[in-house]
Amino acid sequence: MRAAWYERNGPAHEVLQVGEQPDPMPGPGEVRVRLRASGINPSDAKGRGGNRPMSAPLIIPGSDGAGVIDAVGARVPKRRIGERVWVYYGQFQRAWGTSAQMIALPSQLAVPLPAKIPYAAGACLGVPVMTAHRCVFCEGPVEGLTVLVTGGAGVVGHYAVQLARWGGARVIATVSSDEKAAHAKKGGAHAVIDYRREDVAARLHQITRGAGIDRVVDVELGVNLPTYAAALRPNAAIACYASVAAQEATLPLRLRQLNLNVRMVYVYTMPEDARRRALADIARWLQDGRPKFTVARRFALDRIADAHDYVESGQRIGQAVLDVG
């Protein structure tokens, strides 16, 4: 098979190689997926860059992808052969990920993909959508609640907006430009706040008529918490899934009076029951909802270094996808 890999950490154009690797074979309980598309997440670029040590002499990056099962191992029904699937956790705790024409992985990590969902969209489902689901629903249903999504035009934020709206919440998103405001509204946000031009606290008070917010999906807890803390309602909950600008957050003890719950979310180690709920809800959302996928750019496998650079630049609305089929 044709694949991309690196044998040491470093800048994309210095360490990524593209060439031939042996076709993987599915072991017991595994399937082999002939991939059509592979999603690139910031975590893939960070791993290649060196934020975690090399786990093997050769690593094929990539957690997410979509394609067709073409072989199964022992204990996997042969009827799965030919099934359209999206895959997640591709390179988590294994060396060979989705930046290749094939991947072998546990059968449960290959999830049925509805025929109406293109492969490029299916390759966007793993890390971003499962992270968004965990953040939105980690404290239970959101029907009738007010949910604030900071960075509502970001990749995870855009799906959080959609899933919160799908779950029956009133959704407010913060953004940093008119273009991103339009993107958040396209995802279903009822209201948007431009945090660069507006006072977030004042606008939250205005939008909610002083009632406040019940849930927060936060991309930068250390930076954002002071801007919305006064709007938190009793028994509110914050789900933080990333923090780049500030590695630490100050949590005022006065918030204890709210019975506030703060949850740190890391998709790769989310509990098994949460993962099952996410997969079930995502299946319903794909089938009955109106999911909106934004593929910012598509790259040939040979241009994976350009794709990694593009993801690291942060100058995008939507996701980068490799065409590997």
Side-chain angles (χ1 to χ4, degrees):
M1 68 171 182
R2 194 156 181 81
W5 71 88
Y6 56 91
E7 298 173 12
R8 61 183 176 88
N9 294 126
H13 281 274
E14 293 182 17
V15 301
L16 283 168
Q17 306 177 54
V18 179
E20 293 295 320
Q21 291 292 337
D23 292 354
M25 297 302 296
E30 293 186 337
V31 298
R32 185 176 71 188
V33 179
R34 187 173 291 273
L35 294 162
R36 302 292 183 84
S38 172
I40 302 178
N41 298 297
S43 57
D44 302 322
K46 290 175 183 176
R48 182 263 309 146
N51 79 330
R52 55 181 180 268
M54 295 280 296
S55 59
L58 183 152
I59 292 178
I60 296 174
S63 291
D64 301 340
V68 177
I69 294 174
D70 72 348
V72 299
R75 302 197 305 271
V76 179
K78 291 188 181 299
R79 64 175 178 272
R80 292 212 69 186
I81 295 176
E83 187 178 316
R84 298 177 88 247
V85 294
W86 60 276
V87 305
Y88 66 102
Y89 291 3
Q91 199 245 307
F92 179 59
Q93 296 183 331
R94 62 179 61 81
W96 285 21
T98 58
S99 297
Q101 292 178 325
M102 300 179 188
I103 186 173
L105 75 176
S107 177
Q108 68 270 22
L109 302 183
V111 185
L113 181 68
K116 68 179 182 179
I117 306 296
Y119 290 114
C124 300
L125 282 168
V127 168
V129 177
M130 293 187 70
T131 298
H133 182 279
R134 177 66 171 159
C135 289
V136 171
F137 297 108
C138 59
E139 304 304 326
V142 296
E143 186 172 3
L145 302 183
T146 298
V147 177
L148 172 67
V149 179
T150 69
V155 174
V156 173
H158 188 55
Y159 294 125
V161 167
Q162 293 186 60
L163 288 169
R165 178 71 183 255
W166 176 75
R170 183 187 187 194
V171 186
I172 304 170
T174 64
V175 298
S176 60
S177 69
D178 290 341
E179 182 183 13
K180 291 181 178 180
H183 190 59
K185 288 179 180 178
K186 180 181 177 182
H190 294 87
V192 295
I193 302 170
D194 187 332
Y195 65 83
R196 289 184 173 170
R197 295 188 295 184
E198 299 179 280
D199 183 319
V200 175
R203 286 283 285 129
L204 285 172
H205 184 82
Q206 179 187 42
I207 293 167
T208 67
R209 297 183 179 180
I213 51 179
D214 303 285
R215 300 282 187 270
V216 182
V217 178
D218 202 339
V219 66
E220 281 284 359
L221 182 64
V223 173
N224 294 328
L225 178 59
T227 70
Y228 60 73
L232 293 168
R233 300 186 66 193
N235 302 303
I238 301 169
C240 169
Y241 65 90
S243 190
V244 176
Q247 294 297 303
E248 296 181 357
T250 299
L251 194 65
L253 286 179
R254 62 178 173 76
L255 295 179
R256 173 182 60 85
Q257 299 171 12
L258 299 175
N259 286 300
L260 177 69
N261 190 7
V262 180
R263 184 183 293 273
M264 301 297 177
V265 172
Y266 185 60
V267 68
Y268 295 101
T269 55
M270 59 193 290
E272 181 61 30
D273 64 332
R275 187 162 54 140
R276 286 195 298 267
R277 287 198 304 272
L279 294 176
D281 280 353
I282 291 168
R284 289 195 293 272
W285 176 63
L286 292 178
Q287 196 63 52
D288 304 326
R290 291 185 173 183
K292 298 176 179 64
F293 299 93
T294 303
V295 176
R297 285 187 64 181
R298 297 173 71 161
F299 296 84
L301 180 60
D302 288 349
R303 294 188 57 208
I304 186 172
D306 292 335
H308 273 231
D309 283 350
Y310 179 65
V311 168
E312 289 182 297
S313 74
Q315 302 301 312
R316 70 192 193 284
I317 293 180
Q319 293 172 258
V321 171
L322 286 177
D323 291 313
V324 296

